[in-house]
Amino acid sequence: MENHVKVNFLGASNVVTGSKFLIETSEKNIMIDCGMFQGLKELRELNWLDLPVDVSTIDLVLLTHGHLDHVGYLPRLVKQGFHGKIIGTAPTLAIAEIILKDSAKIHEEEAARANEEKYTKHSPALPFYTVAEAEKTIRLFEVEMADKWINLSEHISYRFQYNGHILGATFIELDINSKRFVFSGDIGRTNDYLLEDPKRPEWADFLFIESTYGNKLHPEENVEQILADIILETLHKKGNLIIPSFAVERLQTLMFILWKLYQKNKIPNIPIFVDSPMGNNVLEVFRRFPKWHKLSDSDYNAMCNHVNIIESYKETWETIDDKRPKIIIAGSGMVTGGRVLTYLEQLIDKASTTVLLVGYQAEGTRGRQLFDGAHEIKFSGKYHPVKATVMHLESLSAHADQNELLHWMSGIKNIPEKVFLIHGEPTALDAFRVKIKDTYNWNVTIPKLNDVENIHI
């Protein structure tokens, strides 16, 4: 039978964040991911707009993984009338629950603080969503297994496949009328410290592939040596090493590497403080799902015992007042919110401080400003001079680089009818488009936000 599929590009199109793709068919309307925009103000403002589709007609949401830019818009979707199932792997939904509750709490706190200190144009400032709205959303979660085809209707089925990147992450294969739509989600690295190599799709009629590092190769860095050198320099300066970290995966990887360095006598027993309530919760998810990562029980326990886990805001201040040289790992990874702001407000104007950025820094974030060498940085409406040394470790990225993306695609046995490049800034998208054309000679397109693609199958 002739069928018509309509693909709505509602996010992560010509930008990295805000992943949202609506697939409309005669049998089911399926949303792949439902993330928040992060970074530039003009992007963040898009979060407050209702989606340009009838949300009540969406039957279900399939999640590739639990990061905020893939799940953070879900409570707004529910608010706009969505009442279907939200489906992901067990670790994905566990992480999404942590992230949604945490982000709702931050939204509520920031709105309250903005109203109290009057640094807002809005009267009153409102949270993007509340804890109650997050909890209402979480009640729609439904776990599904990886590696298993699930029928949604007569002609539609889907499958989750392991994708590295973070705990629980998958790419999604969606079969509609015998045509395969593959959504890459975020593709992980090969030879990761904690995760197995990503699986690769074997067939794709329509491929939607992330391009975050579509124009880059991660440097061949000796991560352990670089970290050891920075830590020894921190001890020499009697200062603080502050690592803004994503709570999911990056924080656990850093804990693992630091523990290994100590074990190998590469660094002394410098105090390590982990200040990320969300990161602590994600550690618990690692404990619950041992089949999804490479850590043994004994390694996991030793790594956790090697660090000081901060439980309260009072302890945050005690850590700042602690005069010993130390390592502080705190959320958020792009310095957009979270506990790391408190440390940086107090310590970024000291020459003895080192700030180590360990992941992708989106345009418009404080992390990108620091990466680009900003001489001052704004917290809660006040500017602070940057006297700290700012460093960057790109090879700890959880995203595949250009070669790894091409390798991931190389498992596809057919020639896709169309390849859509998503999740990238314009320069990365265009470079990757040219590279795919030169390598495979496939038909590549770069959709823009709110584009609609009509496909006859």
Side-chain angles (χ1 to χ4, degrees):
M1 66 175 236
E2 169 79 359
N3 205 346
H4 180 74
V5 175
K6 187 173 165 186
V7 183
N8 301 268
F9 293 88
L10 303 175
S13 305
N14 239 7
V15 294
V16 170
T17 67
S19 186
K20 288 181 220 68
F21 307 97
L22 176 61
I23 319 302
E24 296 180 89
T25 76
S26 58
E27 292 179 18
K28 291 281 179 192
N29 294 335
I30 302 156
M31 186 169 244
I32 307 285
D33 286 338
C34 190
M36 251 173 93
F37 290 105
Q38 296 169 289
L40 292 170
K41 189 177 181 188
E42 66 202 61
L43 285 177
R44 296 197 313 272
E45 285 175 345
L46 295 175
N47 288 325
W48 292 87
L49 303 177
D50 283 359
L51 293 182
V53 294
D54 181 355
V55 166
S56 66
T57 66
I58 300 172
D59 295 292
L60 70 154
V61 179
L62 298 176
L63 299 178
T64 60
H65 66 288
H67 269 150
L68 191 67
D69 63 330
H70 292 257
V71 306
Y73 194 81
L74 284 167
R76 299 290 288 196
L77 194 76
V78 171
K79 203 172 184 175
Q80 287 164 48
F82 173 76
H83 45 75
K85 292 173 181 171
I86 298 165
I87 303 174
T89 64
T92 287
L93 295 182
I95 287 167
E97 177 171 346
I98 291 164
I99 281 184
L100 287 180
K101 284 180 176 171
D102 184 80
S103 108
K105 189 163 160 276
I106 289 170
H107 291 314
E108 286 186 355
E109 285 167 0
E110 282 178 352
R113 190 169 169 188
N115 290 325
E116 201 177 305
E117 298 181 14
K118 308 258 186 298
Y119 63 81
T120 173
K121 296 196 287 282
H122 308 283
S123 185
L126 296 170
F128 184 55
Y129 48 81
T130 63
V131 172
E133 285 166 341
E135 284 169 348
K136 183 181 175 186
T137 303
I138 290 158
R139 287 197 284 275
L140 301 175
F141 283 7
E142 188 168 294
V143 169
E144 200 44 84
M145 285 166 64
D147 303 324
K148 179 179 147 200
W149 281 103
I150 312 293
N151 291 324
L152 286 175
S153 62
E154 192 183 347
H155 300 101
I156 302 175
S157 55
Y158 74 88
R159 177 169 67 171
F160 292 124
Q161 290 238 60
Y162 187 90
N163 214 19
H165 184 59
I166 69 167
L167 206 66
T170 58
F171 63 89
I172 294 173
E173 296 168 310
L174 188 61
D175 276 10
I176 304 173
N177 269 39
S178 306
K179 290 284 187 183
R180 184 158 300 172
F181 292 69
V182 176
F183 292 84
S184 75
D186 288 350
I187 299 166
R189 310 284 308 279
T190 48
N191 304 316
D192 187 87
Y193 278 95
L194 303 183
L195 301 176
E196 303 293 347
D197 290 356
K199 289 189 175 179
R200 298 184 296 163
E202 293 180 1
W203 194 276
D205 295 299
F206 300 94
L207 175 63
F208 301 75
I209 184 166
E210 72 123 321
S211 322
T212 310
Y213 286 101
N215 60 338
K216 281 198 175 145
L217 299 180
H218 294 312
E220 292 290 325
E221 295 173 314
N222 184 335
V223 171
E224 294 183 21
Q225 192 55 55
I226 293 169
L227 261 175
D229 291 346
I230 292 170
I231 290 162
L232 295 173
E233 179 61 19
T234 299
L235 285 163
H236 176 68
K237 289 198 293 193
K238 298 187 172 58
N240 293 286
L241 170 58
I242 301 174
I243 310 179
S245 176
F246 301 100
V248 184
E249 217 64 46
R250 198 70 39 83
L251 184 143
Q252 294 79 22
T253 303
L254 283 164
M255 284 172 60
F256 179 73
I257 296 170
L258 291 169
W259 169 63
K260 282 282 186 212
L261 285 174
Y262 172 66
Q263 260 199 333
K264 294 175 186 171
N265 289 325
K266 295 270 183 74
I267 57 170
N269 195 9
I270 181 172
I272 302 167
F273 293 91
V274 172
D275 194 346
S276 169
M278 186 157 70
N280 300 348
N281 292 333
V282 173
L283 267 176
E284 176 59 21
V285 178
F286 266 77
R287 194 190 60 71
R288 277 171 54 199
F289 298 105
K291 287 192 172 70
W292 282 86
H293 60 79
K294 297 197 278 202
L295 276 178
S296 67
D297 281 355
S298 57
D299 279 2
Y300 172 86
N301 291 327
M303 165 182 113
C304 292
N305 292 335
H306 185 61
V307 302
N308 303 286
I309 305 255
I310 288 181
E311 303 283 355
S312 68
Y313 200 47
K314 178 171 168 281
E315 286 178 37
T316 297
W317 283 99
E318 286 168 2
T319 305
I320 289 168
D321 293 338
D322 184 336
K323 294 290 179 264
R324 294 176 298 170
K326 56 193 169 295
I327 301 168
I328 298 157
I329 308 171
S332 69
M334 294 191 279
V335 200
T336 50
R339 295 278 178 88
V340 78
L341 298 186
T342 311
Y343 292 98
L344 292 176
E345 270 187 70
Q346 301 302 315
L347 299 168
I348 200 152
D349 62 349
K350 294 181 170 43
S352 60
T353 300
T354 301
V355 179
L356 179 63
L357 302 169
V358 289
Y360 186 77
Q361 305 298 323
E363 275 189 289
T365 60
R366 289 191 193 87
R368 176 65 79 92
Q369 289 169 24
L370 287 169
F371 177 73
D372 288 340
H375 69 284
E376 60 181 8
I377 199 134
K378 195 175 179 182
F379 301 110
S380 311
K382 296 185 191 69
Y383 282 99
H384 297 256
V386 178
K387 302 230 172 105
T389 304
V390 177
M391 302 183 80
H392 184 232
L393 248 183
E394 195 180 291
S395 51
L396 272 183
S397 170
H399 283 268
D401 67 9
Q402 189 190 72
N403 279 347
E404 289 166 327
L405 290 169
L406 291 169
H407 170 70
W408 187 85
M409 295 162 75
S410 71
I412 296 171
K413 296 183 172 75
N414 66 315
I415 297 173
E417 292 176 38
K418 210 161 195 182
V419 177
F420 300 92
L421 299 191
I422 51 177
H423 281 281
E425 289 174 5
T427 46
L429 292 163
D430 199 55
F432 197 37
R433 176 187 66 79
V434 173
K435 191 72 179 177
I436 294 171
K437 201 94 183 104
D438 290 346
T439 309
Y440 297 116
N441 200 25
W442 289 352
N443 176 15
V444 180
T445 186
I446 300 175
K448 292 195 165 44
L449 193 59
N450 295 326
D451 275 1
V452 174
E453 181 85 14
N454 287 298
I455 298 170
H456 293 279
I457 56 176

